Every structure is written in structure tokens, then in C-alpha cells.
């Protein structure tokens, strides 16, 4: 079996669902269930003996080690993190705790477990660390996309904490020989995306008749990748990635935020037309994110060249599936928007006067 951390979050739950749709190898899903973790994402696995869920914190080294020893996974796929840049600006402490201390704690548990394995299992073991393109900082309009050799230059507490975790993973390979792999991916979108992030926020605000908040001038560029393509890339790297290497994952889908929001509005205008006017009428420009990175773009040619991975979805095809998923799953959205979500929206947007 494989041991997945953060498998109740957005990408982790998509990965667990994809994994079990394609293989009978079991998954031990270890997740703290913070505000971002949601067992409803995994509802379709109820009663499926291949999926074991354990609620726990990656900072609990002894607890993780005991689970590793009990279940003997052949790999750890590490998604668990605090993942939202805006939350890291308003409260960086949790990001340091989970992303840095938590990854350190997980690495220590993995090292203790792996060191004691018989030689053949030791050689086959993998620790795959899921990271982000944000560790590379920001690009100018004419800069080449981030490659695996681009120097790290993180600009938010979130990206700095992920950069630190990447360095720890690297050091465990070089120092202890732990068979690590790291992926650095661009912005994902798709089903089960928590509606604090741009794409699901815009869809749910549009349908709810609320303002569509655009930070600054909306000309920041992101390189969007459908979550299923990210999951496929992780499977490829886990299967055949070279030990100690990092692989950039991206969609070749650079787009300014305002253009992405226009695309969403136009799609909703067709699929769920308003009584009058367009969803574009709800667009509102608000105060920018401090330290806002202007442009991300990923050069994913290493992954293509070495492991034969390519994204299957274009932005148009992936976003069409995503919008349809949100239209079909309004109950999921309403469920995550109850409780603490409302408080977050108030905190993040209250001082962003137009
Ligand atoms: P998410 O916030 O949706 O999910 C994170 C999950 O981790 C949640 O289920 C949460 O409960 C769990 N978690 C948080 N702290 C934990 C802890 N201390 N112990 C155990 N579980 C804990 O995040 P996501 O968007 O699914 O991102 C997953 C990973 O992919 C992260 O490492 C993130 O940095 C990386 N990533 C995300 C994107 C993106 O666009 N969302 C892009 C590239 C990389
Ligand atoms: O690049 C990969 C990263 O993508 C991941 O590592 C992060 O975990 C993930 O959250 C995402 O980070 P971003 O900051 O790029 O995503 P977010 O959806 O928060 O914002 C996307 C862009 O939209 C960004 O330029 C900020 C802007 N934005 C966001 C919100 C929430 C707005 O203009 N208005 C908003 O209300």
C-alpha cells in the first residue's frame, strides 16, 4: 500500500480517488482534517477496504512511525500542507508548523521506518514530496518559465515554508540516502477545490450573486493545470522518477487572472444564464495581495522528456468540466461554506475597499 498525507484536501482527495480507480493497491490516508480537509470528498470510497482513513497530524512523529510500521507502505506521497497564500499573510504560524516542522517530523518518521526495512524493500521505497512553483518567486513578462534549475526566491510565508520543506527533503536524500522525489506544480483547478481559491470562489460567488473580487489590476499570470493531470504526473514520477530529482509540473496554460475570470463568467452565462445581464457585471476590483507574485510559468519539459507525461486537458476543456462539476455539486459547496468559511471571507475581504 501507499501512505498519503493530506488525502482529504483538494489535490490529495483527487489523487486518492484517481489512484483507487486505476489500481487495487491500498491507500492509508493520513489527514488532520483542518478547515481544508473534507471527508465528503471521499464519500464514494465508503466501505471500500482499499482505503483506510486515519485522522492525525504529520507533526506527530511517533504516531506516524507507528502507522508506517503497522501498515508497511512502499511509498509516502506527501500532500499535507497549509496551502493558501492569503491565509499565510494573515497568519503565518500554522504554515511554519505544518509545512516546515510537519515535513521535518514526517521525514524523521520515514527515515526511521525506511532504515529498518530489508534491502530490497529499502531500495524500492519512495518518499514523494508534493510542492509548488511558488518557491521560484515571480517572473517578468518576458522571462523564461521556471525550470528545475531556477533559483528559489519565495515571496510569501506560504511559498517560503514550502521552499524550506523542499530543502529538507533534498537534504534527507543527500545526507541519509532517503529515496526522495519532489514535484513543483503550478496552479491546479478542478473538483473539490475549496472556495477560498480563485476559480471555485469566482464560480460560487457568481452563482450566489456576490461580487467577483479581482486583486489589483487582475493582470497577474498563473499557469493553470487540471487537477487530474497533476495526479497523473505524480503517478508517473512515483513510478519512474529518478531518485533525488525534482520535476516541474505545469499546463502550458498561462493566463491573466482577469481573463480566467472572464472565461468563467462567459461559460456560466451559457450554462446558467442570469435573468438579466452577464456574470461579468459582478466583477469588482479590490486591494491587491501584499507581495503578490506577478507571473508564474512552468517549463515541464523534463517531465515530458524523461517520463513521457503531458497534460491531457487544455484550459478550455478542464474549466468546462470544472464548472459543470460545481453546478452539479452545489450541496458540496454549501456544506464547506457553512461555519468557519464565512468568518474567513469576512477577514480576507473586509479591508480590501475597491
Ligand atoms: P488543501 O489545503 O486543499 O489540502 C491540504 C490537506 O492537508 C487538508 O486535507 C488538510 O486537512 C491537510 N493537513 C493540513 N495540515 C495537516 C497536518 N498538520 N497534518 C496532516 N494533515 C494536514 O491543499 P491542496 O491545494 O490540495 O494542496 C496539496 C499540496 O499540493 C500542498 O502541499 C500544496 O502546497 C501543493 N500544491 C498545491 C497547488 C494548488 O494549486 N492547490 C499547486 C501546487 C502544489
Ligand atoms: O502556483 C501554485 C499555487 O497555486 C499553490 O502552491 C497554492 O497552494 C495555491 O493556493 C495557488 O496559489 P495562488 O495564490 O496562485 O492561488 P489563488 O487561487 O489564491 O489565487 C490565484 C490568483 O488569483 C492570484 O494571482 C491571486 C488572485 N486572486 C485570488 C483570490 C482568492 C484574486 O484576484 N482574487 C481573489 O479573491
Amino acid at each position: 500500500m501507499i501512505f498519503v498525507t493530506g488525502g482529504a484536501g483538494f489535490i490529495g482527495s483527487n489523487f486518492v480517488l484517481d489512484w483507487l480507480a486505476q489500481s487495487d493497491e491500498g491507500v492509508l490516508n493520513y489527514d488532520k482534517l483542518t478547515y481544508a480537509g473534507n471527508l465528503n470528498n471521499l464519500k464514494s470510497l465508503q466501505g471500500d477496504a482499499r482505503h483506510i482513513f486515519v485522522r492525525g497530524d504529520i507533526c506527530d512523529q511517533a504516531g506516524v512511525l507507528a502507522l508506517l510500521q503497522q501498515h508497511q507502505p512502499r511509498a509516502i506521497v506527501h500532500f499535507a500542507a497549509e496551502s493558501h497564500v492569503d491565509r499565510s499573510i494573515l497568519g503565518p504560524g500554522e504554515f511554519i508548523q505544518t509545512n516546515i516542522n510537519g515535513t521535518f517530523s514526517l521525514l524523521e518518521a520515514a527515515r526511521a521506518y525506511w532504515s529498518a526495512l530489508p534491502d530490497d524493500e529499502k531500495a524500492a521505497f519512495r518518499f514523494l514530496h508534493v510542492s509548488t512553483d511558488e518557491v521560484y518567486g515571480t517572473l517578468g513578462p518576458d522571462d523564461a518559465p521556471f525550470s528545475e534549475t531556477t533559483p528559489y526566491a519565495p515571496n510569501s510565508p506560504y511559498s517560503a515554508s514550502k521552499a524550506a520543506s523542499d530543502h529538507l527533503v533534498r537534504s534527507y536524500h543527500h545526507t541519509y540516502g532517503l529515496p526522495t522525489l519532489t514535484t513543483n506544480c503550478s496552479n491546479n483547478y478542478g473538483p473539490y477545490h475549496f472556495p477560498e481559491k480563485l476559480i471555485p470562489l469566482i464560480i460560487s460567488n457568481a452563482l450566489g450573486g456576490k461580487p467577483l473580487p479581482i486583486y489589483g489590476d487582475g493582470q497577474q499570470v498563473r499557469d493553470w493545470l487540471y487537477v487530474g493531470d497533476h495526479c497523473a504526473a505524480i503517478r508517473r514520477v512515483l513510478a519512474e522518477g529518478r531518485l533525488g530529482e525534482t520535476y516541474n509540473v505545469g499546463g502550458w496554460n498561462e493566463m491573466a487572472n482577469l481573463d480566467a475570470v472572464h472565461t468563467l463568467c462567459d461559460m456560466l452565462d451559457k450554462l446558467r444564464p442570469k435573468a438579466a445581464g452577464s456574470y461579468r457585471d459582478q466583477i469588482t476590483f479590490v486591494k491587491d495581495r501584499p507581495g503578490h507574485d506577478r507571473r508564474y510559468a512552468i517549463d515541464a519539459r523534463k517531465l515530458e522528456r524523461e517520463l513521457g507525461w503531458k497534460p491531457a486537458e487544455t484550459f478550455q476543456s478542464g474549466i468546462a468540466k470544472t464548472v459543470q462539476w460545481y453546478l452539479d455539486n452545489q450541496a458540496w459547496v454549501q456544506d464547506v461554506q457553512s461555519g468557519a468559511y464565512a468568518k474567513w471571507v469576512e477577514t480576507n475581504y473586509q479591508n480590501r475597499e475597491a
Side-chain angles (χ1 to χ4, degrees), residues 10 12 35 60 65 69 73 82 86 114-115 134 139-140 163 167 170 187-188 236 256 265 275 304 311 332 338:
F10 162 48
Y35 78 93
D60 175 9
L65 179 57
Q69 287 166 340
E82 288 293 335
D86 292 322
W114 168 78
S115 304
E134 299 203 11
L139 292 168
H167 292 323
R170 177 189 164 88
N187 285 65
N188 284 211
R236 288 297 303 135
C265 289
E304 269 180 51
W332 181 91
S338 60

Side-chain angles (χ1 to χ4, degrees), residues 25 58-59 89 103 105 117-118 204 206 246 278 286 291 308 328 337 339 342:
E25 186 175 19
I58 53 168
C59 299
I89 294 166
T103 299
S105 173
L117 289 174
S204 78
T246 65
S278 159
V286 300
D328 294 343
Q337 284 178 331

Side-chain angles (χ1 to χ4, degrees), residues 26-290:
V27 173
L28 191 141
N29 185 349
Y30 186 77
D31 194 300
K32 184 177 172 183
L33 296 182
T34 66
Y35 78 93
N38 185 352
L39 286 179
N40 277 339
N41 302 3
L42 301 160
K43 238 182 186 164
S44 60
L45 297 177
Q46 259 170 17
D48 188 330
R50 298 172 304 162
H51 179 240
I52 300 171
F53 181 80
V54 177
R55 186 174 193 177
D57 190 327
I58 53 168
C59 299
D60 175 9
Q61 197 176 308
V64 171
L65 179 57
L67 282 171
L68 293 173
Q69 287 166 340
Q70 182 188 348
H71 293 278
Q72 301 280 305
R74 68 165 179 97
I76 295 175
V77 185
H78 176 35
F79 294 94
E82 288 293 335
S83 71
H84 190 193
V85 173
D86 292 322
R87 286 186 191 254
S88 84
I89 294 166
L90 292 170
E94 280 297 314
F95 288 72
I96 306 304
Q97 179 60 12
T98 284
N99 299 359
I100 305 181
N101 295 334
T103 299
F104 165 65
S105 173
L106 185 69
L107 282 164
E108 277 294 88
R111 180 164 77 94
Y113 165 68
W114 168 78
S115 304
L117 289 174
D119 282 350
D120 55 337
E121 289 176 34
K122 212 171 164 182
F125 185 77
R126 297 289 180 270
F127 183 105
L128 191 152
H129 174 58
V130 180
S131 192
T132 170
D133 61 355
E134 299 203 11
V135 297
Y136 299 120
T138 187
L139 292 168
D142 300 322
D143 290 341
F146 301 130
S147 78
E148 289 80 0
T149 55
T150 302
Y152 274 31
N155 292 318
S156 72
Y158 163 67
S159 53
S161 68
K162 290 295 292 187
S165 67
D166 293 9
H167 292 323
L168 282 169
V169 171
R170 177 189 164 88
S171 77
Y172 271 61
H173 176 68
H174 284 275
T175 305
Y176 304 112
L178 190 72
T180 64
L181 299 155
T182 297
T183 54
N184 293 89
C185 188
S186 60
N187 285 65
N188 284 211
Y189 63 94
Y192 305 114
H193 205 180
F194 193 83
E196 65 186 357
K197 308 282 176 70
L198 182 71
I199 288 192
L201 179 93
I202 294 299
I203 298 171
S204 78
N205 280 17
L207 295 173
K210 296 181 186 149
L212 310 182
I214 307 288
Y215 294 168
D217 62 3
Q219 293 309 311
Q220 304 81 9
V221 171
R222 296 293 182 266
D223 179 355
W224 295 100
L225 181 70
Y226 186 68
V227 65
D229 281 325
H230 188 189
C231 295
I234 292 169
R235 282 199 306 273
R236 288 297 303 135
V237 174
L238 184 62
E240 287 184 46
R242 285 187 292 129
L243 296 188
E245 291 289 316
T246 65
Y247 292 90
N248 280 359
V249 189
W252 304 105
N253 274 319
E254 280 186 62
M255 192 174 285
N257 291 338
L258 191 56
D259 293 335
V261 172
H262 283 157
T263 303
L264 287 169
C265 289
D266 297 350
M267 206 162 268
L268 286 169
D269 282 338
K270 283 203 191 101
L271 293 170
R272 190 63 60 92
K274 288 170 49 139
S278 159
Y279 289 102
R280 286 192 186 209
D281 305 338
Q282 290 167 230
I283 289 175
T284 314
F285 289 88
V286 300
K287 194 170 160 189
D288 210 349
R289 170 186 280 175

